[in-house]
Amino acid sequence: MDSQFQFDWQAAINSIPFLIKGIPYTLMISFGGLAIGFALGIIFGLLSINKQWFLKWPATAYIEIFRGTPILVQVLFIFYGLPDLIGGPIDPLTAGIAAIALNSGAYISEVVRGGVQSIDKGQAEAGLSLGLTRSQTFWSIIWPQAFRRMIPPLGNQAIVSIKDTSLFSVIGVGELVRQGQVYIASTFTAFEVYFVVAIMYLAITLSLSLILRLIERRGLVSV
Amino acid sequence: MTHIVKMKGMNKYFGKLHVLKDIDLSVEQGEVVVIIGASGSGKSTLIRCVNGLEEFESGHLEVDGQALAPKGGNQQALAEIRKEVGMVFQQFNLFPHLTVKKNIMLAPQKVKNTSQTVAKATAERLLERVGIGSQADKYPSHLSGGQQQRVAIARALAMEPRLMLFDEPTSALDPEMIGEVLDVMRELAKEGMTMMVVTHEMGFAREVADRVIYIHEGQIVEQGKPDDVFDNPENERTQAFLSRVLAH
């Protein structure tokens, strides 16, 4: 069983122009989804720490459902299941963005909750004792401090979501993995192509890590 | 005689624990009232009721002419009271994401819509007054504990309060920094500020207080002029407490 396999550099290089067409889709789904997910995370994260049960319970249900089911099932449900309900097709790009938004939104809710709850109770007491309203106290004292603590876990979630988009090849969005599959179908150079695909993901996630590290270093006063 | 704080038959519970029992206490304009007692006696809870950081369950509490209702009722009155009552905490509770100056400017700008120029001038003046004018642009974490607590006093004063609450303001400080904070408080008292001070600093109490109140298990068991309370305590619990804290 000795393998005659040799890495074909030429095949790898040749695949790049085709694969690169997938990157805009990967980025669009990732960052489009994450932007909406961040908004959802703030809303549901704050609702989940509310004392009113009718605000807290729906938020908690949302978080548990989208954290507790696989994102692959979520996107299949959105793409193949929801059209039955709404009576019309959903395009793959929209389905992908929706899946990342809802899924990352659940995790970001927990990040928001944790960040806000990590701020010492004395901070709110100081704000209230100075005559600030609850919402002034929250937005000018608690939130800025909580947000700084949220940056590392948010960065982590962004990286997870970028990688999750690779699953959406199953619904036919022309993102990186899908492009790879299409290319391999005619060239049969799976090793080289998936190697290049992996490098491209790494380039995206490493750039993001670098940017986040710069933000953290610049923006953090010792809190 | 104008009373800025009036408590009548006030009761407070933490669950089943009865932490304040039938408190009757009035504080006059310009008076310095020092509250002493063992830890867990309810003295901090008592002053935290004054600006609504703690709710009470029954009785009457009026601050600066505004009546607070039990169980956090009457939010309108509470909002008014908080504008007029400053508080200094044991742990300083400065805002770590804001510079010293911004810490002081925040409330006047947000609550009173004071312009930035005026708020800044006030902050600088107050920082001079508490002796740390040169630290205005630093962040709180770069200051010593004593300096941080003086900033906290300046921050409360920026709202021009009619009453200042001090909740063990020197308990978290290294011994060598206690004096500088007490000096600022002494000055405030001299200028006629109405103050309610919870503290373990008996020397300060004797020197600055107009009235000393001893609380034991949620009840006011003795009060009077500092010399009377410290030298001739009538209640045996007060005697026992004072002999413990004054012994060392």
Side-chain angles (χ1 to χ4, degrees), chain B residues 159-174:
Chain B
M159 287 295 288
E160 301 176 318
R162 306 202 341 112
L163 166 67
M164 284 282 284
L165 307 173
F166 291 86
D167 188 3
E168 302 201 28
T170 58
S171 298
L173 294 175
D174 291 337

Side-chain angles (χ1 to χ4, degrees), chain A residues 14-62:
Chain A
N14 287 346
S15 72
I16 292 174
F18 189 80
L19 295 177
I20 246 171
K21 288 187 204 153
I23 289 183
Y25 286 96
T26 293
L27 293 180
M28 218 185 318
I29 300 170
S30 306
F31 290 104
L34 281 164
I36 302 168
F38 185 54
L40 292 175
I42 293 174
I43 295 167
F44 287 99
L46 296 183
L47 289 178
S48 75
I49 43 181
N50 204 289
K51 286 191 187 87
Q52 307 276 322
W53 66 269
F54 57 90
L55 296 174
K56 182 185 181 140
W57 289 6
T60 308
Y62 159 72

Side-chain angles (χ1 to χ4, degrees), chain A residues 97-184:
Chain A
I97 290 174
I100 291 293
L102 289 165
N103 186 270
S104 71
Y107 285 95
I108 293 171
S109 296
E110 287 291 275
V111 170
V112 168
R113 186 180 65 81
V116 169
Q117 287 180 335
S118 76
I119 303 303
D120 185 78
K121 195 162 63 74
Q123 291 290 308
E125 290 187 348
L128 293 173
S129 78
L130 286 164
L132 271 67
T133 62
R134 285 191 171 278
S135 84
Q136 286 174 329
T137 300
F138 183 79
W139 291 111
S140 48
I141 297 168
I142 311 295
W143 180 256
Q145 296 182 56
F147 185 70
R148 278 176 194 173
R149 293 188 188 179
M150 284 158 50
I151 292 172
L154 283 175
N156 194 39
Q157 181 57 44
I159 287 170
V160 169
S161 290
I162 289 167
K163 294 184 296 175
D164 280 347
T165 61
S166 65
L167 295 165
F168 302 166
S169 54
V170 298
I171 58 167
V173 196
E175 46 67 68
L176 257 174
V177 170
R178 177 74 179 181
Q179 289 297 98
Q181 290 170 337
V182 171
Y183 192 77
I184 291 162

